[in-house]
Amino acid sequence: MAERSTAAVDVADNSGDEPLTAQADQSTADGVAKNRERDTDIDEAQGSGGTEGPEKASPPELHSGHKLARRYRLEECVTRLDGFSSWRAVDEKLRRAVGVHILPADHTRARSVLAAARSSALLGDPRFVQVLDAVEENDVVYVVHEWLPDATELTTLLASGPLEAYDIYQMVTQVSAAMAAAHREGLAHLRLNPNAVLRASTGQWRIRGLAVNAALRGINSDTPQRTDTEAIGALLYAALTQRWPYESDAYGLSGLPKDIGLIAPDQVRAGVHRGLSELAMRALANDGATASRHESACTTPEELVKAVGEMPRIRPPEPAFTAPPDYQRTTYQQGTYGRRQASHPGATQPVPTPPPPLQSRTGKALKWAVSALLIAALGLGSWQLADALMDQGNKPEDGSQTQTTDDNDKNGDNTKPVRPIKIQNAQEFVAKGGAQAPEDVAKTYDGDSSSYWRTKSFVDGPEMNPAFKPGVGIVFELGSSQSVSAASIGLLYPGDHTTVELYASDSLTPSSLDSMDKIGTVTTSGTSASVKVTKPVKTQYVLVWLTAMPHADQDQYSGSGYKQAITDLKFTG
């Protein structure tokens, strides 16, 4: 069962180069509207390699309405630069908007662009804009990618001022984790700037241009991890201060004053979050700056992820409370409901007095009936009470009919109470293939039902193919050897069907699935699963293993396919 190929590709009109056909207030190649401005090229300042010289190859003659592969209809050219062009297009087969980068097949960068697109497509991380196709045909090379009409560039967000601390914390957390995952697969960005970072309407941060944008512009670096880490530091600095952390102006932001050097964000602007300010300096320390407060510099995205995790979590701002309007009496409460009365200015309208209750003939009869029923009930109750007292007086006074507390204990219910088991740690288990979302495993037991660990989207299902990927899951550490009786699992996607298996493991990182003992299984079509342990077991580590997943539609994190996510997980003993 093959995983869906996804990845990111940046639009070709990022800041640093002047498009030949740049127009004001036009759309970028992923569908995000922006006002185009001339920005200073800052690749060298960020540590990436320089671009290649002008290409001799000329772009193919293309126009609106032209079709690629009898499927992708070009709608609007948004960039034409260095021998390649970027278009907004329509996928007529799937009836959706897409973005397309096109360059001649004899372009000196054509081979590297194809290789970058196909490599990044294997990453399959929903935090990147997805590559949908990468083809060479009819003397042209083209890369098709997602179009995000509901996303906003960081450049546009910063035009109105610095971001809130919570939004900045979410951005640096998600961007650094995404880049760490990309570098683990050998992929670098090298053009990570405010134009390449987008915020979707759901609040999710997305990155475009992984590997492909650098290939389009001929950019390379001897230290790609340091280059991308410093770029994240520059994004963080800009979000905190609305200033670009170099002397040159770029991306609509003013640079720092000359001859001053790099100063901490909390020295540029009052009220800056101190922890985020220190984090920005630690990431920017690669280019000769001194890390703030003598903290060690972050030279890789992985180190930046660790530094973010050591920070106290920044909570979202409290929602503004709107005071309710002053209380006003309605006409019904004032006694005028259902009738119109002539009023005189300044005159007080009399409120009619309601008649005494139960004064009619029917009311009097009802009172007599209720009184008779009460008298009968009192008499019957007195007779039953007297009869019970007489029976009690006639019982023998010996203790032959009594039972001791010991007898009750022996004959009573011996069921032990259910005891919750606290989870101490967790780690994703990969039996074959790639990992799913190892950075999110703690979200399965954090007590927050809105957070979760999710799998990738798979093309085939619901049963997973053992030859390609026998299953996906997480090993949980219980602190010490515990008697486990059941597991309660919250699932995000309902449907036909999800199969969950439990295994007792001897460590947090077991060598294989065969080294563990299977202790329970269940299949469900809902959003929860309760797995009971079929045989008594005491273990310190338990593997929760998914071997079948339902089909779900595309969401903010991944495309359509067979997938599942674990929201809340609890063990009981």
Side-chain angles (χ1 to χ4, degrees), residues 317-338:
E318 294 293 336
F321 175 74
T322 304
D326 294 338
Y327 175 75
Q328 296 179 349
R329 294 174 63 88
T330 64
T331 55
Y332 174 77
Q333 293 168 320
Q334 294 169 353
T336 60
Y337 181 80

Side-chain angles (χ1 to χ4, degrees), residues 103-415:
L103 67 164
D106 58 353
H107 196 291
T108 57
R109 302 174 192 162
R111 303 275 74 78
S112 60
V113 169
L114 270 178
R118 291 168 179 173
S119 297
S120 62
L122 298 176
L123 182 60
D125 194 319
R127 292 168 294 192
F128 294 95
V129 177
Q130 298 182 22
V131 170
L132 305 176
D133 211 348
V135 179
E136 177 184 1
E137 65 177 11
N138 298 331
D139 298 326
V140 297
V141 168
Y142 61 89
V143 176
V144 183
H145 59 89
E146 279 186 297
W147 185 271
L148 306 177
D150 64 336
T152 306
E153 291 179 357
L154 179 59
T155 307
T156 304
L157 296 174
L158 293 178
S160 58
L163 302 185
E164 295 291 335
Y166 175 74
D167 293 332
I168 299 173
Y169 176 76
Q170 291 296 318
M171 180 197 71
V172 70
T173 300
Q174 297 179 31
V175 170
S176 58
M179 290 309 305
H183 278 282
R184 284 195 295 268
E185 299 298 326
L187 295 173
H189 196 292
L190 306 183
R191 287 282 295 178
L192 195 58
N193 54 49
N195 286 341
V197 178
L198 316 171
R199 186 175 69 181
S201 58
T202 58
Q204 175 78 9
W205 292 89
R206 305 284 298 274
I207 302 173
R208 65 186 179 195
L210 180 66
V212 177
N213 189 52
L216 283 169
R217 296 175 181 274
I219 297 172
N220 54 68
S221 174
D222 294 332
T223 56
Q225 296 206 52
R226 292 186 59 172
T227 299
D228 284 341
T229 304
E230 185 180 351
I232 298 174
L235 296 175
L236 179 55
Y237 196 103
L240 289 168
T241 64
Q242 203 185 10
R243 300 288 293 268
W244 193 238
Y246 304 96
E247 292 185 355
S248 59
D249 299 343
Y251 311 107
L253 303 173
S254 299
L256 297 178
K258 296 183 178 180
D259 302 327
I260 292 181
L262 181 63
I263 56 178
D266 54 5
Q267 297 177 5
V268 176
R269 173 175 165 264
V272 170
H273 189 279
R274 181 175 178 181
L276 293 175
S277 175
E278 293 181 2
L279 190 65
M281 295 299 290
R282 293 177 65 182
L284 286 169
N286 300 336
D287 198 33
T290 301
S292 178
R293 274 77 174 182
H294 306 289
E295 293 283 352
S296 59
C298 296
T299 59
T300 67
E302 198 72 49
E303 292 178 358
L304 196 56
V305 170
K306 183 179 180 181
V308 173
E310 293 172 350
M311 288 179 52
R313 179 176 297 183
I314 300 177
R315 300 293 180 181
E318 294 293 336
F321 175 74
T322 304
D326 294 338
Y327 175 75
Q328 296 179 349
R329 294 174 63 88
T330 64
T331 55
Y332 174 77
Q333 293 168 320
Q334 294 169 353
T336 60
Y337 181 80
R339 52 180 180 269
R340 305 170 65 91
Q341 297 181 356
S343 59
H344 303 282
T348 302
Q349 298 296 330
V351 179
T353 304
L358 301 179
Q359 293 299 316
S360 62
R361 180 179 300 176
T362 303
K364 292 179 180 180
L366 182 60
K367 287 195 293 184
W368 282 108
V370 171
S371 300
L373 288 174
L374 287 175
I375 293 172
L378 288 173
L380 180 61
S382 301
W383 176 78
Q384 289 180 340
L385 178 60
D387 186 61
L389 292 174
M390 292 177 64
D391 289 343
Q392 186 175 3
N394 293 330
K395 288 182 179 180
E397 296 183 357
D398 58 359
S400 59
Q401 299 298 324
T402 62
Q403 292 184 349
T404 64
T405 304
D406 293 338
D407 292 336
N408 288 331
D409 291 341
K410 293 179 181 179
N411 298 327
D413 188 5
N414 291 327
T415 303

Side-chain angles (χ1 to χ4, degrees), residues 2-6 124 436 454-460 493 549 552-555 557-564:
E3 297 183 16
R4 189 177 302 280
S5 295
T6 57
Q436 305 300 299
R454 54 100 187 101
T455 70
K456 291 181 172 61
S457 296
F458 294 89
V459 176
D460 302 322
Y493 302 109
M549 296 178 289
D553 295 331
Q554 180 176 355
D555 56 27
Y557 297 107
S558 59
S560 302
Y562 293 90
K563 55 186 176 181
Q564 190 54 273

Side-chain angles (χ1 to χ4, degrees), residues 433-466:
Q436 305 300 299
E439 69 279 2
D440 294 333
V441 293
K443 296 180 180 179
T444 60
Y445 60 94
D446 60 358
D448 184 1
S449 58
S450 63
S451 63
Y452 50 83
W453 167 87
R454 54 100 187 101
T455 70
K456 291 181 172 61
S457 296
F458 294 89
V459 176
D460 302 322
E463 301 293 338
M464 303 190 72
N465 186 349

